[in-house]
Amino acid sequence: MSKSQVSAASIISSELVAPGSDKGQMIASTALTYIGSKYVFGGTSPSGFDCSGFAYFVLKRSGVDVGRTLWQQ
């Protein structure tokens, strides 16, 4: 795990995920799996994400239905 991944894990687990939240832990765990993925404009898969595509993919994988675009999210 790289230094940036460790830092991201610390931020996610200590500041954004409520203690005891199974859904939050699932979202954080899924997101951490894909940190460092290639950036691709309009991308929504592990082969390449854009910012909102990353959020869309991670949340959908975790059972949270959100829109695809920044404005929908």
Side-chain angles (χ1 to χ4, degrees), residues 19-63:
S21 168
D22 290 337
K23 181 66 78 174
Q25 292 297 331
M26 183 186 327
I27 292 168
S29 177
T30 302
L32 289 171
T33 301
Y34 297 102
I35 286 181
S37 295
K38 181 178 170 182
Y39 177 87
V40 174
F41 182 77
T44 60
S45 73
S47 62
F49 296 106
D50 66 9
C51 300
S52 58
F54 182 78
Y56 173 77
F57 178 86
V58 167
L59 290 169
K60 190 158 185 86
R61 272 275 168 105
S62 301

